[in-house]
């Protein structure tokens, strides 16, 4: 099922993604200039979790347009991106060139990378902003993260809070429960940027296939692979409903190499 999900999501994220990044962020030159002026802005509060990355190897999985990878390179990290979309790669490499930095960008399903080539290679594995729902097999994904990390390495995972999809608040209706928090099925869902295009064009966009994990499943998968969880921080929504969780950041460390 993971392979089928990856193929569907690759098709979705290869459709007009470069065009979307230009709509959202500007030309690669414009984006690069902004990143160079203040790379820390793009990393936000995650810098506190990442620590000093200068001279360190960082893997950004599902790194998309390079929005995190390029600022990391600008502050001295050696960065590898793994992402399934050639459109994302094209934009990221053009921005990196304009910014005067190099990043390694591997277009691949994370499950199909040559793990032997990269095993125990990275000081940090970093995932940010809506990643986990693209995986039907979270245990295997966590094991890949473990294998990528050096002993002493760190996972920094920021993602949408699992409850976010199931609780909605409006002043008229109050809190409304939507769906089943424990539902383990795969769901069809729009690619993240579809709604930003004219309504007349939206029917042409391929859908993604998504799995919404609950917090217990996420923590259990990270712990089961051998990583030691250091911190789990829940953050409020950014849409004004600050009394509801919107995202979370999980930090875990690799202290031994399991045989």
């Amino acid at each position: 099922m993971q392979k089928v999900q990856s193929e569907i999501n690759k098709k979705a994220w290869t459709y007009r993604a470069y065009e979307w990044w230009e709509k959202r962020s500007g030309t690669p030159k414009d984006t690069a200039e902004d990143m160079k002026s203040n790379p820390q802005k793009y990393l936000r509060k995650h810098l506190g979790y990442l620590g000093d990355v200068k001279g360190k190897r960082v893997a950004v999985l599902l790194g998309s347009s390079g929005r995190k990878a390029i600022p990391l390179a600008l502050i001295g990290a050696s960065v590898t991106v793994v992402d399934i979309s050639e459109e994302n790669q094209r934009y990221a490499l053009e921005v990196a060139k304009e910014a005067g930095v190099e990043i390694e960008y591997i277009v691949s399903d994370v499950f199909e990378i040559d793990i032997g080539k990269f095993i125990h290679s990275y000081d940090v594995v970093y995932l940010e902003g809506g990643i986990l729902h693209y995986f039907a097999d979270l245990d295997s994904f966590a094991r890949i993260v473990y294998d990528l990390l050096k002993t002493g390495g760190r996972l920094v995972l920021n993602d949408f809070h699992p409850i976010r999809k199931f609780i909605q608040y409006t002043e008229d209706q109050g809190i409304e429960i939507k769906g089943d928090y424990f539902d383990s099925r795969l769901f069809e869902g729009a690619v993240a940027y579809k709604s930003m295009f004219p309504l007349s064009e939206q029917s042409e966009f391929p859908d993604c296939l998504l799995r919404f994990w609950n917090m217990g499943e996420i923590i259990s998968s990270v712990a089961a692979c051998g990583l030691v969880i250091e911190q789990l921080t829940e953050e409020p929504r950014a849409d004004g409903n600050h009394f509801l969780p919107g995202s979370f950041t999980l930090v875990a460390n690799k202290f031994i190499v399991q045989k």
Side-chain angles (χ1 to χ4, degrees), residues 142-143 146 221-229 253-256 258:
R143 182 67 208 195
Y146 182 92
S221 289
V222 172
C225 76
L227 295 174
V228 177
I229 295 172
N253 298 291
K254 177 175 176 177
F255 292 121
I256 60 172
Q258 293 183 343

Side-chain angles (χ1 to χ4, degrees), residues 40 143 167 204 214 241:
Q40 290 82 359
R143 182 67 208 195
I167 292 183
E204 304 299 321
N214 63 55
N241 296 323

Side-chain angles (χ1 to χ4, degrees), residues 13-14 16-35 42-43 60-74 79-99 101-107 126-131 134 191-193:
W13 272 97
T14 304
R16 299 180 71 175
Y18 183 96
E19 186 179 348
W20 155 241
W21 292 120
E22 284 204 313
K23 284 177 177 288
R24 177 186 174 179
S25 303
T27 67
K29 183 176 181 179
D30 290 340
T31 301
E33 289 301 318
D34 193 58
M35 286 180 174
Y42 285 80
L43 300 168
V60 183
L61 305 185
L62 279 71
S64 196
S65 67
R67 192 171 177 84
K68 303 299 179 182
I70 295 163
L72 283 168
L74 284 166
V79 186
T80 299
V81 176
V82 181
D83 191 273
I84 207 164
S85 169
E86 291 92 347
E87 289 262 308
N88 286 345
Q89 180 199 42
R90 178 186 162 203
Y91 187 83
L93 291 182
E94 289 181 11
V95 174
K97 182 178 179 180
E98 294 287 351
V101 295
E102 291 186 6
I103 60 171
E104 180 180 24
Y105 200 114
I106 301 168
V107 177
Y126 180 33
L127 300 99
E128 188 271 340
I131 300 296
Y134 293 115
V191 70
Y193 51 88

Side-chain angles (χ1 to χ4, degrees), residues 121-170:
S121 293
Y122 293 96
D123 300 286
V124 179
V125 172
Y126 180 33
L127 300 99
E128 188 271 340
I131 300 296
L132 298 183
H133 53 229
Y134 293 115
F135 301 117
D137 184 349
L138 196 55
D139 287 344
S140 295
F141 173 71
R143 182 67 208 195
I144 290 169
V145 171
Y146 182 92
D147 287 341
L148 290 173
L149 285 169
K150 299 176 180 178
T151 300
R154 166 172 290 203
L155 165 67
V156 178
L157 164 64
N158 172 263
D159 214 305
F160 300 141
H161 198 287
I163 206 69
R164 183 174 178 265
K165 286 288 182 181
F166 303 99
I167 292 183
Q168 182 174 334
Y169 175 82
T170 63

